[in-house]
Every structure is written in C-alpha cells, then in structure tokens.
Amino acid sequence: MNKVITNTKIDELRSELNFPEQQMYVAVRARFCCEYCGKNLLESVDSYDSWQIDHIIPRNDDPNNEYVENLALTCKTCNFAKRHSTTEALLNSETRKDKIEEARRMVWERRSQKEVTLMKVKEFAHLLLVNNPKTV
C-alpha cells in the first residue's frame, strides 16, 4: 500500500524542525548529499551535523548572488576546503552544473593536498608516540 505524504504533513515537519524553505529546496535538489564529494548527509548524526549551505560563487565576488541556483548543499569538510575561493573558470561557467563541477575540482584539489599533509602528520605522531611511550 502506497502512502501519500500530504503537503500539510511536510509543512508540519518543516515547521517542527525549523527547516527554512530555501534550505529544504537546496537539500532536496542535492538528494541530501554533499554536492562536492557525494557524502550522504543523513547517514549519521556526524554527517547531519556537518551539513552546510555554500555559495558556489562567493558573496564577496557577487553581492547579488543570493539566488537559490548559487547555493549548494555541502559537508563541512568540503565547504571549509572551498571557503571563499573562486577561479576564472568558476566565474565564467554558464550553467549551474558547470559551476558545481569547477567547485568540485577545486575542493578535490585541496582535499588531496590535505591528504598529503595528513600522511605527514600521522608519520610525525607515530614517531612521537614510539619515542615517548610513557608521555601522558
């Protein structure tokens, strides 16, 4: 038996959850996944808590870009990696899809750099722990 969810029920839940309509639209469009890395933002409390809305083209590059097409659902890691960055390719992208692809490229480039740093930090931490086993 199929249940039909009424707009009334959606409105009740949106109100109860204090879920702004614009954020609801952005989340549904992204299917509740980070638009830069694909992470399911409903899979756990940690994922849900990392949910953020990003301005694909940062506000400081275009103060009139508050329109929904410039917003992307992201996880905290991707949003922090992108920050307020922009490139000529991003600014010159004509479609939302092209803008998302360019932002995704920027994010993955930065995440790759962080992976290299993380590997060095892990090596450093290992050396510290091996050489100082009783340090509290």
Side-chain angles (χ1 to χ4, degrees), residues 41 44-52 75-76:
L41 297 172
S44 70
V45 170
D46 290 340
S47 295
Y48 174 71
D49 276 349
S50 81
W51 171 327
Q52 297 186 353
C75 67
K76 187 182 297 183

Side-chain angles (χ1 to χ4, degrees), residues 73-111:
L73 184 66
T74 67
C75 67
K76 187 182 297 183
T77 302
C78 287
N79 198 19
F80 280 22
K82 182 176 166 287
R83 301 249 170 168
H84 304 291
S85 301
T86 191
T87 62
E88 284 298 316
L90 182 62
L91 291 172
N92 293 327
S93 296
E94 292 189 23
T95 67
R96 183 178 189 283
K97 181 180 178 187
D98 291 342
K99 289 175 183 165
I100 289 288
E101 286 300 319
E102 177 59 18
R104 186 176 292 139
R105 187 200 61 74
M106 289 173 20
V107 165
W108 278 105
E109 184 178 299
R110 291 187 181 149
R111 287 180 73 131

Side-chain angles (χ1 to χ4, degrees), residues 15-135:
S15 178
E16 178 183 334
L17 296 169
N18 196 24
F19 212 93
E21 192 168 340
Q22 185 180 57
Q23 187 175 0
M24 181 180 69
Y25 174 82
V26 171
V28 169
R29 179 182 62 203
R31 306 199 57 74
F32 298 90
C33 293
C34 175
E35 293 190 71
Y36 300 151
C37 73
K39 180 179 188 173
N40 178 347
L41 297 172
L42 297 179
E43 74 181 350
S44 70
V45 170
D46 290 340
S47 295
Y48 174 71
D49 276 349
S50 81
W51 171 327
Q52 297 186 353
I53 301 291
D54 179 48
H55 288 81
I56 303 165
I57 296 179
R59 283 185 274 195
N60 54 347
D61 289 327
D62 181 3
N64 298 317
N65 70 7
E66 286 297 319
Y67 49 94
V68 161
E69 290 304 305
N70 188 51
L71 302 178
L73 184 66
T74 67
C75 67
K76 187 182 297 183
T77 302
C78 287
N79 198 19
F80 280 22
K82 182 176 166 287
R83 301 249 170 168
H84 304 291
S85 301
T86 191
T87 62
E88 284 298 316
L90 182 62
L91 291 172
N92 293 327
S93 296
E94 292 189 23
T95 67
R96 183 178 189 283
K97 181 180 178 187
D98 291 342
K99 289 175 183 165
I100 289 288
E101 286 300 319
E102 177 59 18
R104 186 176 292 139
R105 187 200 61 74
M106 289 173 20
V107 165
W108 278 105
E109 184 178 299
R110 291 187 181 149
R111 287 180 73 131
S112 295
Q113 292 167 351
K114 285 184 178 264
E115 281 290 329
V116 171
T117 301
L118 176 59
M119 295 304 289
K120 290 178 183 177
V121 169
K122 285 181 177 181
E123 178 184 6
F124 178 62
H126 175 74
L127 291 171
L128 287 174
L129 293 171
V130 167
N131 291 311
N132 299 294
K134 295 187 179 197
T135 302

